[in-house]
Amino acid sequence: MINMRHTGIYVKDLTRMTSFYRDVFHMHTICEEVEQADALIEDLFRTPGARVKITKLITEQGKASGTGDMVELLELAVPEKEAQASLKSIAAGLHIAFGVRDMEATCAAVVAHGGRLATRVHDMGNGNLCCFCRDPEGNWLELIARRKA
């Protein structure tokens, strides 16, 4: 079974965009300005020292159901000399995250159907595995699976 987890939107001004989504869509904060700087982020942006600040917001419906209806706002920070190359990798401005049961099988299916893997599978240390890939037209997809015991 696969489920839609969130849509990630890469933003330039995290504070402003957080206010926009909160005020316009009456979204609730799950986490705000959490910094992530790890192997996944460096792998994704192909830049040592890359980091993101993340705010996650959820609609009233998502809050009530406990699943989906989430927006993940990401503000990228990279060393100045690496900025242009890193920003090219997110030119589309968003990614869609899918919850999957079998990471290996899903990665194989992405490739078999004309997509490509953009990162290796990363153990996030919170019980989740994560991998970024691209569909056949280059759109960003994030795959998230619970680590098998």
Side-chain angles (χ1 to χ4, degrees):
M1 184 169 101
I2 293 178
N3 68 303
M4 292 285 290
R5 292 186 52 119
H6 65 262
T7 298
I9 304 171
Y10 299 96
V11 301
K12 293 178 183 167
D13 185 338
L14 185 59
T15 302
R16 179 175 181 224
M17 295 305 287
T18 298
S19 293
F20 173 83
Y21 282 93
R22 241 191 235 136
D23 296 345
V24 172
F25 299 109
H26 309 287
M27 298 183 88
H28 302 275
T29 304
I30 295 172
C31 67
E32 193 163 2
E33 295 194 19
V34 174
E35 188 163 309
Q36 183 177 342
D38 55 23
L40 172 64
I41 298 303
E42 289 184 355
D43 192 13
L44 178 61
F45 295 107
R46 308 271 191 259
T47 305
R51 63 187 192 285
V52 292
K53 275 200 250 179
I54 300 169
T55 294
K56 293 181 182 180
L57 304 169
I58 195 163
T59 65
E60 190 66 39
Q61 172 86 19
K63 188 175 177 184
S65 72
T67 184
D69 279 2
M70 190 168 61
V71 171
E72 178 182 65
L73 304 175
L74 303 103
E75 183 180 88
L76 175 65
V78 295
E80 191 60 38
K81 67 180 185 167
E82 306 291 341
Q84 285 307 104
S86 294
L87 293 174
K88 284 181 187 174
S89 68
I90 59 167
L94 60 91
H95 72 259
I96 300 169
F98 290 94
V100 302
R101 285 196 180 171
D102 186 332
M103 180 66 77
E104 188 176 311
T106 305
C107 287
V110 165
V111 173
H113 292 279
R116 68 180 175 84
L117 302 181
T119 70
R120 62 189 189 278
V121 175
H122 289 266
D123 185 326
M124 301 307 295
N126 62 357
N128 289 334
L129 300 174
C130 182
C131 179
F132 280 84
C133 55
R134 304 198 69 175
D135 72 13
E137 292 189 359
N139 297 301
W140 285 98
L141 306 174
E142 179 181 7
L143 308 177
I144 302 170
R146 294 299 292 167
R147 183 177 51 238
K148 294 176 184 170

